[in-house]
Every structure is written in structure tokens, then in C-alpha cells.
Amino acid sequence: HLPGARHIPRGQLELRVDREFPDPTVRLLAYCQYGKISTLAAATLRTMGYTRAGALDGGMEGWARAGYPLEKSPPRS
């Protein structure tokens, strides 16, 4: 996972995001393996009022290919 990431499964996003991030002005970056599902998640977040939500272009695969760091420990839930 990306350093500092918090894991919120896509199926739980609408139920948990306001508890995890009560400030809707916070910058959120959604990501998934290839950048497809995270695009939908970011759109959902923006609909919910998180106007600074975005998706990682290329997903985790693109991030790793670019040589950016990854963490192997489980992300915070």
C-alpha cells in the first residue's frame, strides 16, 4: 500500500468515510490496483461533499512502476 494510507474498502466507503475523515475539505486520494475502481470511489466522495477527492492515475501498479515507495505492513483500518 502507499505510505500513510488508510484502508477503506470500496463497499464500505459511504458508511465509513465521514467517521474516518469528518472534515470534508481534507484532500483525499483514492487508489486501487490499476486506477479504475478508485476513479469511481473519488467521484462518490466528491458527490458526498469531499470536493478535494481524487484518484491516483494508473493506480498502485503505476505508482510502483514509477519507483515510488510502498509499505508492506497492513494499512491502518
Side-chain angles (χ1 to χ4, degrees), residues 1-62:
H1 65 89
L2 275 59
R6 288 194 197 177
H7 183 242
I8 302 177
R10 175 62 192 95
Q12 297 178 15
L13 186 63
E14 292 87 345
L15 300 172
R16 292 181 46 195
V17 71
D18 60 339
R19 282 181 288 171
E20 297 284 333
F21 300 99
D23 179 3
T25 65
V26 68
R27 176 80 171 121
L28 295 176
L29 179 66
Y31 72 93
C32 61
Q33 191 69 31
Y34 301 105
K36 307 294 185 206
I37 303 298
S38 57
T39 300
L40 299 173
T44 297
L45 288 166
R46 287 190 300 273
T47 299
M48 294 177 69
Y50 290 86
T51 57
R52 297 181 63 208
L56 180 62
D57 190 32
M60 203 164 80
E61 288 287 322

